[in-house]
Amino acid sequence: MVEGTGEQIVGAIFEFNKMHGKNAGELIRELAGGEKGHLQPFNSNLFDQIIEESNVNHHMLQSLIRKMQDEGLDVQETRNPDHYGALVHHLSLIRNKRCLMAYVYNRAEVIRNLAWKVGLKLLELPEEIQEKLNVSEKIYFEQHAKALESYMNEMNLELNVDMVPPKDPYIKVRVLDDVGDDIILSDKAAKLARHSMHFLKRTDAEPFISRGLMEELTG
């Protein structure tokens, strides 16, 4: 329990809350330390520890409030050790919740951008990116991509290509890895062998470029 003068109690709550939020702080530092727009592997171990810590905070908060109610005390007005103990757990719970939400939200923002920059199919994502997503994030990507694809089909628009208006609808590309024979494009079938060069519609080439299978030749 927290006891002492008003100033001492506030200081103790602040320090105790920092101790309780240690794992959450570490999770946010990990998020902030990564390169902007890039994902690190989902830290399931630390994430689950924070969830468990939050469950303990919630249980202790409810227990202390029930104890005060059983003693016939006014929970809103009473200022005793049980009140300050409940306050510590309440503040710790809020801190953990905000950190978890920030971690999930910022990763979701990067995942949404993958659908625009890389492709609408999970298997189109490079393996090193897929390995960094947990199961929920993979489902989220697929659902977001499906909604985006459905909208584009309905409107007959390709929103995930030509983010900058092109000067020419055709571009010259070099194939960086074997894509296959008789690949069906919008206006023809092509053999996309490694190191071969082609003059393709930008909308046909963009998906291969975003997956690292082609590069645009300029100049």
Side-chain angles (χ1 to χ4, degrees), residues 18 21-34 40 46 95 99 103:
K18 284 203 306 181
K22 183 178 180 180
N23 286 335
E26 183 179 341
L27 190 69
I28 294 302
R29 283 192 294 274
E30 178 184 294
L31 177 68
Q40 296 179 340
L46 191 56
R95 175 186 172 88
C99 290
Y103 185 75

Side-chain angles (χ1 to χ4, degrees), residues 186-204:
S186 62
D187 58 350
K188 61 183 176 180
K191 180 179 180 179
L192 304 179
R194 188 178 185 185
H195 300 315
S196 61
M197 291 185 288
H198 305 268
F199 201 54
L200 303 178
K201 279 188 175 181
R202 182 178 294 273
T203 52
D204 288 333

Side-chain angles (χ1 to χ4, degrees), residues 5 56 72 83 98 112 118 140 143 162 165 175 179 206:
T5 65
V56 172
H83 163 82
R98 292 180 65 182
R112 289 195 301 272
V118 182
Y140 176 74
Q143 291 178 340
D162 297 337
V175 181
V179 178
E206 284 283 359

Side-chain angles (χ1 to χ4, degrees), residues 45 65 100 142 192:
N45 182 50
I65 290 177
L100 289 172
E142 290 178 328
L192 304 179

Side-chain angles (χ1 to χ4, degrees), residues 117-194:
K117 297 179 180 179
V118 182
L120 295 174
K121 304 298 182 185
L122 182 62
L123 294 179
E124 291 179 351
L125 299 181
E127 187 175 343
E128 60 269 23
I129 293 180
Q130 294 186 46
E131 292 174 348
K132 294 176 181 179
L133 306 178
N134 70 0
V135 174
S136 296
E137 289 176 327
K138 290 179 180 178
I139 294 173
Y140 176 74
F141 173 83
E142 290 178 328
Q143 291 178 340
H144 176 71
K146 183 178 179 180
L148 182 59
E149 187 173 28
S150 175
Y151 177 79
M152 289 193 296
N153 289 338
E154 183 178 341
M155 302 301 294
N156 194 26
L157 292 172
E158 289 285 343
L159 297 176
N160 59 336
V161 297
D162 297 337
M163 302 302 284
V164 176
K167 296 180 180 179
D168 194 314
Y170 286 86
I171 59 174
K172 188 176 183 180
V173 298
R174 177 189 291 117
V175 181
L176 300 178
D177 200 357
D178 285 322
V179 178
D181 298 335
D182 298 324
I183 300 298
I184 304 300
L185 304 174
S186 62
D187 58 350
K188 61 183 176 180
K191 180 179 180 179
L192 304 179
R194 188 178 185 185

